[in-house]
Amino acid sequence: MADIFARRMGTVHRSFIREILKVTADPEIISFAGGLPNPELFPVAAMDKAAHEVFSTIGASALQYSTTEGDAGLRAIIARRYKENRGLDVDPDSILITTGSQQILDMVAKVFIDRGDKVVIERPGYLGAIQAFSLFEPEFVSVSLEPDGPDLAELEAAFRAGAKCFYSVPNFQNPSGVSYSLAKRQAVARLLDEYGVLFVEDDPYGELRFMGDDLPSIFSLRKNPGILCGSFSKIAAPGFRLGWLVADRAVLDKLVIAKQAADLHTSTVAQAIMRRYLETNDIEGHVALIRERYGSQREVMVEMIRRYFPPEVSIIEPEGGMFLWATMPRGASSMDLFDAAIKDKVAFVPGQPFHVDGTGDNTLRLNFSNSDAPRIEEGIRRLGRSIQTILK
Amino acid sequence: MADIFARRMGTVHRSFIREILKVTADPEIISFAGGLPNPELFPVAAMDKAAHEVFSTIGASALQYSTTEGDAGLRAIIARRYKENRGLDVDPDSILITTGSQQILDMVAKVFIDRGDKVVIERPGYLGAIQAFSLFEPEFVSVSLEPDGPDLAELEAAFRAGAKCFYSVPNFQNPSGVSYSLAKRQAVARLLDEYGVLFVEDDPYGELRFMGDDLPSIFSLRKNPGILCGSFSKIAAPGFRLGWLVADRAVLDKLVIAKQAADLHTSTVAQAIMRRYLETNDIEGHVALIRERYGSQREVMVEMIRRYFPPEVSIIEPEGGMFLWATMPRGASSMDLFDAAIKDKVAFVPGQPFHVDGTGDNTLRLNFSNSDAPRIEEGIRRLGRSIQTILK
């Protein structure tokens, strides 16, 4: 049977995280493993109202096939928000609506990556990107992520060695929570321009900043435009599978071809409801609410880690997003910790799968967006105990 | 700029049909060019109600991330309908919900096709499949489609020459409207088993039969299972982008990996609304209504063609689906006809792009699902005149 599959299937596996989520379905387990937004904050009533308004006004056209590029009104709103919230001038015609921002990674790989092309990613890096790119058989080159962004010497060495593409999550990265400093953004932009490397800037969490100042996208700092990716999953709801990308015309044309072949277009219904929701609700106020809630959950997690984790465990304190990264002393295994923690009814994601070079065995990702303060307190207490057990 | 793209992008182009649809946006043009279901038949009020019921009961979970495999209740309904309507035993766990059935073609190509693998398709063949497969650089081998199915000698020759995969639309194919006879289904099943060729049976139109008896799927006639593809686009509404596939466990596992990388999962919201709609409405009655309407539109088109087309134009009279195929005498060009017809304010799709071998210049596809009787009468009258002009 195995020999009927394409060669590329030999290099990829089911998402380790999704497999872990099955283990953690036990309701007694406090899970910091998932990457879920907090469903208590989903604007359910507003979406109900928006859906009714869509069906009762433009119902038939919302149910019909539509253009690959996406709803023009929705693209205009995305462009307006870039201008108002980020000071970024984006032509709505340079926006392509996608089936979640995950789809962008598949399309980018399809359009740009030949087998063996060098793709530079952060270490640790976003697992969904590693999976999507892997199917197109690149040579991954990973660059250390420091608390203020990538190691610039490693990045330049990778670019000098002939990198085709750099995939980066500069704001509150999944899994590390790291946000690039302004200096590193400027340096990365310079290196990208100097070496002519295609840049894919993934920004699903950028609007979820709890502290510090918003920083410009690397996309906006470059002379040569790249591909900027956005998503409604973290600021509204992921169940619609609605994302978008910004790219120049030549690149967009190819991505549109890839999207036509992949799913013709993104759900017309989902786009219409999201557009109506955005037109008739205060999305900025809603995002502020998410920021406030996640920010306070992050505070509790950091405080509890200080209380319950052994001091030899270091963490990166995130300024936004949904994840916190912890590193145990060298030699400790987060897979061993996972087994111990499950017995203690607490879960997290071991860090090794985020490392394409197989390192990171002593690291772990903790999600704080989807647990309230009491569960964070109890969960971190349990996890601290598990860590002490395996560090003995 | 061109050299930044992957090699595979050299072989594909924007959908010719989608480009044509832009030309035909003029409301004075009677268009038989699109492949749209009739929006008058979309169950708008029922979807409105279903959406409200979803948001007001399971709103938060309908807005959250969900499993790659898809909603278990929706998969159970699909399995039940296969049993009740087709006599086909399908385990719900062998069903994967997809983002339209177009996504299946991308996933199948990704999972099975290495560059240069021989992929057998019908001639004429479905353009969306040609596009999706092209991105994975197969060698296409096309087999003549006769009014009762593929030329079996050509098909066996293609299998004998080492075909990896056969992609087929046995019911009311797009573009030709051809439906395989029972004898051809049985023969194709035998050949597939004999040569061990992977079979992808695409069946978006199978429920839209106006006349004759339902015939078994080739999937059900084989010893070795293949991949059976279905869609809600033609029986409910395409705007949700909801399709599904049936496959055995080993194949499904690989397709799930490809789907995770492609878009994580299909829209939770869309699945929840469709499930609720199916649970609370008479979908079988609704499909009967569609069949009745399309059947009578097909009758009008056939009658008007007999009245207005020159006798040297032959047609295949479809027993279901949405399309009718016409062939002009050898040497006549449907591209020339397209230019003449646009001046006469009527549009269709020239047949050549459906032929991977570049033939079919004298053929055309006519859609009858999306025009009412008066427009069909007037449109075919105009088109008959255009044909007479270019045949002079």
Side-chain angles (χ1 to χ4, degrees):
Chain A
M1 190 69 180
D3 65 349
I4 70 170
F5 299 114
R7 188 191 57 217
R8 69 180 68 83
M9 295 308 292
T11 62
V12 289
H13 307 281
R14 263 171 188 258
S15 161
F16 178 70
I17 293 184
R18 292 194 157 242
E19 299 309 306
I20 278 187
L21 294 184
K22 291 182 186 168
V23 178
T24 62
D26 176 353
E28 283 185 27
I29 289 181
I30 294 176
S31 179
F32 305 128
L36 302 182
N38 194 327
E40 288 174 18
L41 297 173
F42 291 159
V44 177
M47 288 298 177
D48 187 11
K49 187 160 171 288
H52 175 61
E53 288 165 1
V54 164
F55 284 118
S56 59
T57 54
I58 55 160
S61 64
L63 290 169
Q64 188 58 287
Y65 285 112
S66 58
T67 62
T68 303
E69 289 80 357
D71 184 282
L74 187 59
R75 292 153 75 205
I77 292 171
I78 292 166
R80 180 175 55 70
R81 295 192 71 239
Y82 271 128
K83 181 69 183 171
E84 292 176 3
N85 298 347
R86 316 275 192 110
L88 195 60
D89 278 310
V90 168
D91 180 347
D93 284 341
S94 67
I95 294 172
L96 172 62
I97 303 291
T98 59
T99 304
S101 63
Q102 179 69 31
Q103 186 180 45
I104 305 170
L105 308 178
D106 177 62
M107 295 196 304
V108 163
K110 204 179 275 166
V111 166
F112 290 102
I113 306 303
D114 282 318
R115 185 182 182 206
D117 278 351
K118 288 189 173 69
V119 170
V120 182
I121 60 165
E122 299 151 333
R123 189 179 68 248
Y126 172 53
L127 203 58
I130 295 171
Q131 287 188 291
F133 286 127
S134 288
L135 283 160
F136 295 87
E137 304 176 278
E139 179 188 328
F140 282 118
V141 181
S142 68
V143 168
S144 306
L145 201 54
E146 301 167 336
D148 66 341
D151 180 305
L152 294 175
E154 286 183 35
L155 190 68
E156 179 158 14
F159 287 3
R160 196 182 299 119
K164 174 78 179 270
C165 165
F166 177 35
Y167 170 79
S168 152
V169 187
N171 291 318
F172 329 122
Q173 192 231 27
N174 176 0
S176 69
V178 160
S179 197
Y180 292 19
S181 67
L182 179 59
K184 284 236 167 143
R185 286 167 200 251
Q186 290 164 334
V188 169
R190 269 196 310 272
L191 288 173
L192 285 163
D193 281 334
E194 184 178 339
Y195 290 93
V197 173
L198 174 74
F199 185 53
V200 182
E201 179 164 4
D202 198 358
D203 190 28
Y205 311 106
E207 301 194 45
L208 305 183
R209 176 179 280 280
F210 319 137
M211 55 190 64
D213 294 325
D214 272 336
L215 295 173
S217 63
I218 296 171
F219 179 89
S220 69
L221 294 171
R222 294 187 65 199
K223 289 194 201 74
N224 301 318
I227 296 168
L228 179 61
C229 315
S231 173
F232 287 111
S233 293
K234 312 307 189 294
I235 59 171
F240 290 102
R241 310 305 304 122
L242 283 175
W244 67 85
L245 65 86
V246 185
D248 68 19
R249 195 69 238 175
V251 167
L252 202 77
D253 274 352
K254 297 287 186 187
L255 291 167
V256 165
I257 289 172
K259 177 149 177 78
Q260 281 179 349
D263 63 3
L264 302 183
H265 61 80
T266 293
S267 166
T268 327
V269 182
Q271 292 183 71
I273 296 174
M274 183 63 74
R275 174 182 172 178
R276 184 76 193 169
Y277 165 76
L278 294 168
E279 284 170 346
T280 55
N281 289 272
D282 173 21
I283 179 72
E284 313 311 334
H286 182 68
V287 174
L289 189 73
I290 297 171
R291 272 199 300 266
E292 188 189 325
R293 179 78 76 92
Y294 290 5
S296 77
Q297 289 169 190
R298 174 253 187 227
E299 283 307 299
V300 174
M301 186 172 274
V302 169
E303 191 186 326
M304 292 304 128
I305 286 174
R306 289 201 187 112
R307 186 179 307 171
Y308 293 117
F309 277 17
E312 56 267 44
V313 178
S314 67
I315 62 168
I316 295 174
E317 296 186 24
E319 296 188 333
M322 297 172 24
F323 302 105
L324 184 150
W325 189 250
T327 304
M328 297 188 293
R330 207 175 291 263
S333 159
S334 59
M335 286 305 300
D336 292 347
L337 177 62
F338 183 78
D339 293 338
I342 288 293
K343 283 182 199 134
D344 259 344
K345 302 286 186 195
V346 60
F348 63 89
V349 177
Q352 189 272 325
F354 301 103
H355 296 69
V356 290
D357 65 353
T359 62
D361 191 41
N362 58 328
T363 58
L364 46 150
R365 187 191 80 174
L366 298 168
N367 168 267
F368 54 80
S369 59
N370 196 22
S371 302
D372 59 18
R375 282 177 75 81
I376 292 175
E377 173 158 2
E378 174 59 19
I380 294 296
R381 196 183 61 76
R382 293 181 193 174
L383 189 56
R385 200 167 54 198
S386 306
I387 295 176
Q388 268 153 349
T389 311
I390 73 137
L391 289 189
K392 256 182 215 155
Chain B
M1 191 67 180
D3 64 349
I4 70 169
F5 299 114
R7 188 192 56 218
R8 69 181 67 84
M9 296 308 293
T11 64
V12 290
H13 306 281
R14 264 170 188 258
S15 160
F16 177 68
I17 293 185
R18 292 195 156 243
E19 299 309 307
I20 278 188
L21 294 183
K22 290 181 187 168
V23 178
T24 61
D26 175 352
E28 283 185 27
I29 289 182
I30 294 177
S31 178
F32 306 127
L36 301 182
N38 193 326
E40 288 174 17
L41 297 173
F42 291 158
V44 177
M47 289 297 178
D48 186 10
K49 187 161 170 288
H52 175 62
E53 288 165 1
V54 164
F55 284 120
S56 59
T57 55
I58 54 161
S61 64
L63 291 169
Q64 186 59 285
Y65 286 111
S66 57
T67 63
T68 303
E69 289 81 358
D71 184 282
L74 187 60
R75 291 153 74 204
I77 293 170
I78 292 166
R80 180 175 55 69
R81 294 192 72 240
Y82 271 128
K83 180 70 182 167
E84 292 176 3
N85 298 348
R86 316 277 190 110
L88 195 59
D89 278 310
V90 168
D91 180 347
D93 284 340
S94 67
I95 295 172
L96 172 62
I97 303 292
T98 59
T99 304
S101 62
Q102 179 68 32
Q103 185 181 44
I104 305 170
L105 309 177
D106 176 62
M107 293 196 305
V108 163
K110 203 179 275 167
V111 165
F112 290 101
I113 306 304
D114 283 317
R115 184 182 183 207
D117 278 350
K118 289 189 172 70
V119 171
V120 182
I121 60 164
E122 299 150 333
R123 189 180 67 249
Y126 172 53
L127 202 58
I130 296 171
Q131 286 188 292
F133 286 127
S134 289
L135 283 161
F136 295 87
E137 303 174 277
E139 179 188 327
F140 282 117
V141 182
S142 67
V143 169
S144 304
L145 201 55
E146 301 168 335
D148 65 343
D151 180 303
L152 293 174
E154 286 184 34
L155 190 67
E156 181 158 11
F159 287 3
R160 196 182 299 121
K164 174 76 180 272
C165 165
F166 176 35
Y167 170 80
S168 152
V169 187
N171 292 318
F172 329 121
Q173 191 231 27
N174 176 2
S176 69
V178 160
S179 197
Y180 291 19
S181 66
L182 179 59
K184 285 237 168 145
R185 284 166 203 251
Q186 290 164 335
V188 169
R190 269 196 310 273
L191 288 174
L192 285 163
D193 281 334
E194 184 180 339
Y195 290 93
V197 172
L198 175 76
F199 185 52
V200 182
E201 180 165 4
D202 198 358
D203 190 28
Y205 311 106
E207 301 194 46
L208 305 183
R209 177 179 280 279
F210 319 137
M211 55 192 64
D213 294 325
D214 272 335
L215 295 173
S217 63
I218 297 171
F219 179 88
S220 69
L221 295 172
R222 294 188 65 198
K223 289 195 200 75
N224 301 317
I227 297 167
L228 178 61
C229 315
S231 174
F232 287 111
S233 293
K234 312 307 188 294
I235 60 171
F240 289 103
R241 308 307 303 121
L242 284 175
W244 68 85
L245 64 87
V246 185
D248 68 19
R249 194 70 237 174
V251 167
L252 202 77
D253 274 352
K254 297 287 186 187
L255 291 167
V256 165
I257 289 172
K259 175 145 177 79
Q260 280 179 349
D263 63 5
L264 302 183
H265 62 81
T266 292
S267 167
T268 327
V269 182
Q271 292 184 72
I273 296 174
M274 183 63 74
R275 174 183 172 176
R276 184 76 192 168
Y277 165 76
L278 294 168
E279 285 170 346
T280 55
N281 289 273
D282 173 21
I283 179 72
E284 313 312 333
H286 182 69
V287 174
L289 188 74
I290 296 171
R291 273 198 299 266
E292 190 189 324
R293 179 78 76 92
Y294 290 5
S296 76
Q297 288 168 190
R298 173 253 187 227
E299 283 307 298
V300 174
M301 186 172 274
V302 168
E303 192 187 325
M304 291 304 128
I305 285 173
R306 290 201 186 111
R307 184 179 306 169
Y308 293 117
F309 278 17
E312 57 267 44
V313 178
S314 66
I315 62 168
I316 295 174
E317 296 186 25
E319 297 188 332
M322 298 172 24
F323 302 105
L324 185 150
W325 188 250
T327 304
M328 297 188 292
R330 208 175 292 262
S333 159
S334 59
M335 287 304 301
D336 291 348
L337 177 63
F338 184 80
D339 293 337
I342 287 294
K343 282 182 200 133
D344 259 344
K345 303 283 185 196
V346 60
F348 63 89
V349 177
Q352 189 271 325
F354 301 102
H355 296 69
V356 291
D357 65 353
T359 62
D361 192 41
N362 58 329
T363 59
L364 45 150
R365 187 190 80 175
L366 297 169
N367 168 268
F368 53 80
S369 59
N370 196 21
S371 301
D372 59 17
R375 283 175 74 82
I376 291 174
E377 174 158 3
E378 173 59 19
I380 294 295
R381 196 184 60 77
R382 292 181 192 173
L383 189 57
R385 199 168 54 199
S386 305
I387 294 175
Q388 269 152 349
T389 310
I390 72 138
L391 289 188
K392 256 182 215 157

